[in-house]
Amino acid sequence: MTLKTGDIIQNRYRIVRLVGQGGFGAVYRAWDTNLKVPVALKENADTGPDAQRQFEREAHLLANLRHANLPRVSDHFVLPGQGQYLVMDFVEGKSLSDLLVERGGPLDEAEVLPWIRQVADALEYLHTSTPPIIHRDIKPDNVIITQEGRAILVDFGISKVYEASKSTTIGARAVTPGYSPPEQYGRGRTDARSDVYALGATLYTLWTGQVPPDGPDLASGADTLIPPREANPAVSPATSAAVVAAMMPNISQRLAGAGELAG
């Protein structure tokens, strides 16, 4: 069920507008009538019992996260037959996608590096939490740059708790062509290195102005990754090499963590 402007959820959150929509649900800007602040209301349309248990577990984990480059989760609830809802800080700013469109071409390496270090720091925090949390949907749309120049990694839509014994859960199997690594497309196991791939792919887009080839095409050899420096000579050899190392199709050959990519 799509929420409409003016709808009030949980006797507290008034819907202001739809921000984004996908196969798994939607994100709304809402007004918290108790605290008198704007919030992001994230709706997951899957209300099956398994999804509900998974949601409750993850919502509690996300609510305990505290990092300067992540939005804070302040509330969560389930409306039977309608959806599961996460309430988090509404981050004011422009996404990296917005900046690419505004500039009409690749962004400057020196401008981008501090932002990516901040995102990598947030990922390192998620990956080393107990249990580890894998974001699984890093892309230019999901990094917001605030007016103060801070990078915030948003959208915990398909974040999933990492369990070494299990392959990617069905709920986490959504993919974003160009940004999702090969292992996220099938029954492969996703882990911290899956986020490293997506962060590398995000950098690739920022520095070349192009979305990289799809992960399965790189894995099968149907397509090849042109190093960022070849597409844009303004990119330094070291950072170009780091992006290629982050985007190795074979997970075992990839950079091991976000901290390693930032380094």
Side-chain angles (χ1 to χ4, degrees):
M1 169 184 157
T2 306
L3 300 172
K4 300 184 301 297
T5 298
D7 285 353
I8 293 183
I9 301 290
Q10 218 49 0
N11 296 318
R12 177 171 178 176
Y13 305 106
R14 189 173 71 245
I15 302 301
V16 176
R17 63 181 168 87
L18 177 70
V19 175
Q21 201 160 16
F24 285 89
V27 180
Y28 300 88
R29 181 181 175 127
W31 182 256
D32 182 338
T33 58
N34 283 11
L35 296 179
K36 308 287 189 271
V37 293
V39 292
L41 183 74
K42 186 152 184 55
E43 177 184 60
N44 180 356
D46 187 351
T47 55
D50 286 350
Q52 204 162 310
R53 275 193 297 274
Q54 176 83 358
F55 171 79
E56 290 284 346
R57 181 182 172 208
E58 291 190 6
H60 286 121
L61 285 170
L62 296 176
N64 287 315
L65 298 177
R66 294 288 181 274
H67 192 280
N69 303 104
L70 294 172
R72 195 174 49 89
V73 173
S74 54
D75 195 7
H76 71 277
F77 51 91
V78 176
L79 297 182
Q82 184 171 326
Q84 307 162 340
Y85 297 87
L86 273 181
V87 181
M88 52 183 94
D89 296 338
F90 190 89
V91 181
E92 302 280 2
K94 292 179 178 176
S95 72
L96 290 176
S97 289
D98 294 335
L99 290 176
L100 272 172
V101 171
E102 254 181 36
R103 307 282 173 84
L107 304 187
D108 183 65
E109 181 178 317
E111 180 181 32
V112 166
L113 283 176
W115 297 334
I116 295 301
R117 285 197 188 97
Q118 291 173 42
V119 174
D121 194 56
L123 284 176
E124 197 73 3
Y125 171 77
L126 290 174
H127 296 162
T128 55
S129 64
T130 308
I133 293 170
I134 314 299
H135 187 282
R136 289 201 178 91
D137 198 20
I138 299 159
K139 55 189 176 186
D141 283 338
N142 282 347
V143 178
I144 306 292
I145 308 301
T146 67
Q147 282 187 319
E148 301 77 45
R150 196 149 47 98
I152 311 289
L153 177 61
V154 300
D155 197 340
F156 291 103
I158 54 167
S159 298
K160 285 288 172 278
V161 177
Y162 174 62
E163 294 180 50
S165 61
K166 295 185 180 176
S167 59
T168 302
T169 58
I170 288 170
R173 227 178 265 154
V175 295
T176 302
Y179 300 102
S180 299
E183 66 271 11
Q184 203 165 315
Y185 280 79
R187 296 186 173 276
R189 289 194 172 90
T190 49
D191 63 22
R193 293 169 294 182
S194 306
D195 282 347
V196 170
Y197 181 101
L199 187 55
T202 297
L203 270 174
Y204 188 94
T205 297
L206 298 180
W207 286 336
T208 67
Q210 302 160 17
V211 177
D214 287 355
D217 290 342
L218 292 176
S220 69
D223 210 336
T224 52
L225 189 72
I226 298 164
R229 186 171 164 79
E230 284 185 31
N232 176 7
V235 177
S236 69
T239 49
S240 180
V243 169
V244 172
M247 289 187 67
M248 293 298 282
N250 185 329
I251 194 169
S252 65
Q253 296 173 346
R254 207 176 292 158
L255 290 176
E260 202 171 318
L261 175 57

